[in-house]
Amino acid sequence: MTRRRTFWTAYAVGFAVAAVIAIFAVSMLNKLVPPQVNWQVLQLTTLDGESVSLNEYRGKPLLVNVWATWCKPCLAEMPAINELQQNYPDEISIVTVSDEDTGKLLKFRERHPYTFTYLRATTPLAEQSLTVFPTTYLLDGQGNVEAIYIGAQSWSSTNFIEKILSLN
């Protein structure tokens, strides 16, 4: 076998192995993030302790961002989420959901007075398999999941804005 042929054979095998690993990783990630969440089970409240249902947000698209105060990618995307809320207040509602201690969330909100709504899950997020942060669900005006975004996103991208506007 020539060197050239050995090289291309090794290259093809390496590419095939990388493709299999990528497919496996994507399938495992999809198992880590639930396609549907029973938000009622999480018993959502405002930071003041008032019960909230996501049904209250029906009528326009809703972005539900699952996050934690210790999650650096979560914190990095929050200014862009806030800008999205400020730029499109009539086109989309945005809520963030964390199961951390209310006091910790209140301190965070005090330091970061974003315009979106902070909600607290009184039941651990892990009970709904929400363990990857940040994970963001885009719901249409009827509460159906239109998209799931894993990890920090560029919320000001033209494609995302167009997707939101198409849901109205």
Side-chain angles (χ1 to χ4, degrees):
M1 198 182 251
T2 66
R3 283 182 157 198
R4 175 178 247 153
R5 187 174 191 150
T6 302
F7 169 79
W8 286 110
T9 301
Y11 181 80
V13 169
F15 184 79
V17 168
V20 168
I21 290 170
I23 291 168
F24 176 75
V26 168
S27 71
M28 291 307 295
L29 193 55
N30 287 335
K31 290 180 183 177
L32 291 174
V33 177
Q36 295 289 329
V37 176
N38 185 342
W39 300 103
Q40 300 303 89
V41 169
L42 293 174
Q43 300 174 1
L44 300 175
T45 66
T46 65
L47 297 187
D48 298 327
E50 297 176 33
S51 291
V52 174
S53 169
L54 293 188
N55 291 334
E56 297 171 24
Y57 293 92
R58 293 221 170 150
K60 63 181 174 181
L62 173 64
L63 199 70
V64 182
N65 179 261
V66 181
W67 72 291
T69 58
W70 49 261
C71 168
K72 292 201 185 295
C74 300
L75 304 180
E77 73 176 355
M78 282 193 161
I81 292 173
N82 189 58
E83 185 177 324
L84 179 66
Q85 180 68 85
Q86 289 178 334
N87 291 341
Y88 299 94
D90 297 329
E91 288 84 3
I92 189 169
S93 295
I94 299 175
V95 299
T96 60
V97 177
S98 176
D99 62 358
E100 292 180 87
D101 177 67
T102 303
K104 183 180 270 191
L105 294 173
L106 285 168
K107 285 180 185 175
F108 182 88
R109 184 178 69 180
E110 189 176 295
R111 288 190 315 268
H112 306 281
Y114 296 127
T115 57
F116 50 74
T117 303
Y118 290 92
L119 297 179
R120 181 175 182 272
T122 59
T123 304
L125 293 172
E127 288 189 16
Q128 285 293 306
S129 300
L130 293 168
T131 57
V132 177
F133 302 121
T135 296
T136 305
Y137 291 82
L138 176 61
L139 284 61
D140 66 14
Q142 289 72 48
N144 302 310
V145 176
E146 286 291 323
I148 301 171
Y149 302 93
I150 301 167
Q153 303 294 315
S154 173
W155 299 110
S156 59
S157 75
T158 304
N159 288 341
F160 184 71
I161 302 299
E162 287 173 1
K163 183 170 190 113
I164 292 170
L165 296 177
S166 74
L167 295 175
N168 276 324

